[in-house]
Amino acid sequence: MSKITKVKGFPDLFPPQSNLYVFMENTARKIFSYYGCEEIRTPILEKTELFARSIGNETDIVQKEMYTFLDKKNRSLTLRPEATAGVVRAFIENVQAKSDEVFKFFTIGPMFRYERPQKGRLRQFHQINVEYFGPQSPQADGELILMLWHYLHALQLNNLSLQINSLGCPQCRPIFEQKLIAFLQTVDEAALCPDCQRRKTTNPLRVLDCKEQSCKQILIKAPTIIDNLCSTCRSHFQAVLDILDNTKIPYQLNHKLVRGLDYYQRTTFEVIATSNNIGAQSAIAGGGRYDGLVKNLGGPDVPGLGFACGMERIALLLEVQNNLQKDFFIAVLSEKCLLPAMSLANKLRHQGLSGEVSFEVKSLKSQLRYANKHNIKICLFFGEDELHSGKIPVKDLETGTQHEVFFEDIITTLKRFLKTEIG
Ligand code: HAM
C-alpha cells in the first residue's frame, strides 16, 4: 500500500524537537505569570470577515496567504493566520471591559499561512502570543517589551536585536501617507518591484519595508514617519524609549518598520536574530499597539497592544540537543523483577522524579544503550540477585560512578545524585 504523507509545510513535531516546544511553552507560562498575564485559548477557525476587517484587505496575509474555505452551509471560514484578531473578537464577546481596567492575556497555538515553505517559514507554525487590553499609557508598551525581552533571555537566547518604530495615529498618519505618496510619485515606477508598484496605491506604507534591494535603494530618500508624528504620538514614543533606556534594553530605531498587518498604531517592534542559523527568516517576534481595533471589530473603545513570538524560528536558535533529561531508567534483568521494578518506578515518580522502567527483560548491554540514547541521568539495574540481597546497583550515567544501594535508601541516594529537592 502506498503511504500517506504529510501536507507540505505542515510539519510533525517529535522529540527532541517537540521538547523544545515544551520548554518554550513552560518558560512562557512562568515568565508571563510574573507580569499577571493569564492564558486563554481561542478557536483556530474564525469567520473570514474577521481577518479581512482587522489585518486589512490589502495585506499579503489576507490577499494571498489565508486558508479560506466554504463550510457545508456556504459560510466563508478561515484557519487563523495570526492570533490577535481572534483574541480581540473573544475579548469583545467574553469580557465586560470597564474603562480603567487592564487585561493581560496570552495564548499559544498553531497559525496557518499559505506561504512558500522554507527554513523558518511554514504553512502551519506556532506562536506564543500576548495581548494587553485597556492601557493607553506608554508604560504598558514598555512593560510588554520588557516582558518579551525577559522571556527571550529566560530561553537563554542572545544575539538579538530589538527594532522599534512608531506608526503614528489616525491624526498624523494620513498626513505622512500623503507625503509618502507624493514622494513615490516622483520615483521611476519601473524601478519598483511589482508588489510595490501595486502597494504604491493600495497600501503605500508597506512600500517602506520592502525587502527588494532596488526598492530599498529608492526609499533611502523617502520621508520618515518619525519626523511626521503629532506631538502626542511623539511624546508617547519618547516615553516608551525612556523605559527601554532606563532598563538598559538595547534597541535600534527602524523608521522603515511598518509590519505586515494594518491594525497597528504608534509603537511597533520586532526582534531580529542576528546569528545566521535561522536563514532568511530572521524576525523571531513582532508586535505593537493597535488602539482602535477593538472598536473596529464592534467592541468598546479600548486600546490594545501585544506581540507574538514565532516558535519555529526560536526553536532553530535553541540547541537542538536540548533534549528532555529523564532522571532514572530501571533496567530489568529477570522476569521476576518486572513487577517490583514497576512498583519502584511508581514510587520514584510519586516523589517527583521522571523516568522509565523497562517493559521487558533484555540484555544489560541493550538496556544501557537505551538509557544512554534517551538522555537518562541515572540507571538502576534490577535482577534476581538484587531481589535477594535487597541492594541495587545505581549508576550515574553522567559521571560513570556506581554504588550498591539498599532499597530503602534509593530515594535519598537519587536525590544526592540528582542534587535536586524532591518530594
Ligand atoms: P507577525 O509578525 O505576522 O505578527 O508574526 C509574529 C511572528 O510569527 C514572526 O515574527 C515570526 O517569528 C512568526 N511567523 C510568522 N509567519 C510565520 C511562518 N509562515 N512560519 C514560521 N513563523 C512565522 C503577528 O502575527 C501579530 N499578530 C503579532 C501581534 C500580536 N501584534 C500584536 N499582538
Side-chain angles (χ1 to χ4, degrees), residues 89-135:
R89 181 212 41 78
F91 174 74
I92 296 168
E93 286 196 71
N94 291 281
V95 181
Q96 294 297 325
K98 297 205 193 73
S99 59
D100 59 344
E101 266 184 293
V102 172
F103 300 88
K104 301 179 182 181
F105 301 117
F106 72 96
T107 188
I108 303 176
M111 311 292 151
F112 307 86
R113 293 185 194 175
Y114 194 89
E115 295 192 82
R116 198 163 38 80
Q118 55 173 252
K119 192 174 180 187
R121 190 165 75 191
L122 293 132
R123 290 181 174 168
Q124 174 171 318
F125 60 99
H126 297 79
Q127 284 185 345
I128 295 182
N129 193 91
V130 174
E131 311 295 350
Y132 280 16
F133 295 105

Side-chain angles (χ1 to χ4, degrees), residues 5 20 24 104 110 114-115 164 173 175 193 196 224 229 237 305 323 328 331 335 375:
T5 55
L20 292 179
M24 284 185 265
K104 301 179 182 181
Y114 194 89
E115 295 192 82
I164 189 163
R173 187 145 90 209
I175 301 170
C193 74
C196 284
T224 66
L229 294 178
F237 190 48
L305 60 159
N323 224 333
F328 67 84
E335 288 289 330
N375 224 5

Side-chain angles (χ1 to χ4, degrees), residues 194-420:
D195 273 342
C196 284
Q197 290 178 15
R198 182 176 46 83
R199 289 175 187 141
K200 210 175 116 174
T201 41
T202 58
N203 200 352
L205 271 189
R206 279 312 306 277
V207 176
L208 284 177
D209 76 345
C210 181
K211 305 285 178 284
E212 291 293 328
Q213 209 44 49
S214 54
C215 297
K216 276 187 177 172
Q217 197 57 35
I218 290 169
L219 289 160
I220 291 174
K221 295 208 181 91
T224 66
I225 187 146
I226 212 76
D227 293 330
N228 290 279
L229 294 178
C230 62
S231 61
T232 325
C233 286
R234 191 186 301 274
S235 55
H236 193 278
F237 190 48
Q238 189 53 53
V240 178
L241 299 183
D242 288 346
I243 295 168
L244 301 182
D245 288 332
N246 190 46
T247 46
K248 304 211 167 25
I249 306 265
Y251 60 85
Q252 268 101 49
L253 297 175
N254 177 354
H255 301 319
K256 302 236 158 46
L257 181 72
V258 295
R259 314 261 305 119
L261 308 105
D262 283 355
Y263 47 62
Y264 291 112
Q265 286 184 22
R266 294 194 171 161
T267 320
T268 52
F269 52 89
E270 270 182 10
V271 178
I272 309 291
T274 51
S275 65
N276 56 9
N277 49 338
I278 65 169
Q281 306 305 318
S282 58
I284 59 161
R289 181 170 274 282
Y290 48 82
D291 302 347
L293 181 60
V294 180
K295 192 165 174 224
N296 183 31
L297 290 177
D301 194 3
V302 169
L305 60 159
F307 65 77
C309 299
M311 295 179 75
E312 280 64 20
R313 295 188 192 169
I314 293 179
L316 287 171
L317 293 176
L318 293 169
E319 267 287 11
V320 179
Q321 275 14 293
N322 194 346
N323 224 333
L324 191 70
Q325 270 213 319
K326 291 165 209 148
D327 295 326
F328 67 84
F329 178 72
I330 305 178
V332 181
L333 306 172
S334 138
E335 288 289 330
K336 283 194 185 142
C337 300
L338 279 170
L339 207 54
M342 181 66 84
S343 109
L344 175 61
N346 195 35
K347 227 184 198 164
L348 295 177
R349 288 168 178 151
H350 278 267
Q351 287 290 324
L353 293 173
S354 61
E356 293 186 51
V357 53
S358 179
F359 291 144
E360 53 197 323
V361 177
K362 283 191 182 148
S363 75
L364 182 61
K365 202 168 146 204
S366 82
Q367 298 200 62
L368 257 178
R369 203 179 320 120
Y370 180 90
N372 279 317
K373 191 170 160 208
H374 286 82
N375 224 5
I376 306 277
K377 290 187 216 161
I378 292 167
C379 194
L380 297 90
F381 305 97
F382 212 146
E384 258 179 78
D385 290 351
E386 285 72 34
L387 262 190
H388 297 306
S389 67
K391 271 178 161 181
I392 188 162
V394 173
K395 182 170 184 173
D396 185 328
L397 295 182
E398 282 171 354
T399 62
T401 48
Q402 183 164 325
H403 300 274
E404 298 262 304
V405 180
F406 283 108
F407 281 133
E408 56 271 28
D409 296 333
I410 285 179
I411 290 171
T412 26
T413 309
L414 290 202
K415 271 188 192 182
R416 207 173 63 244
F417 273 24
L418 294 164
K419 296 191 192 73
T420 52

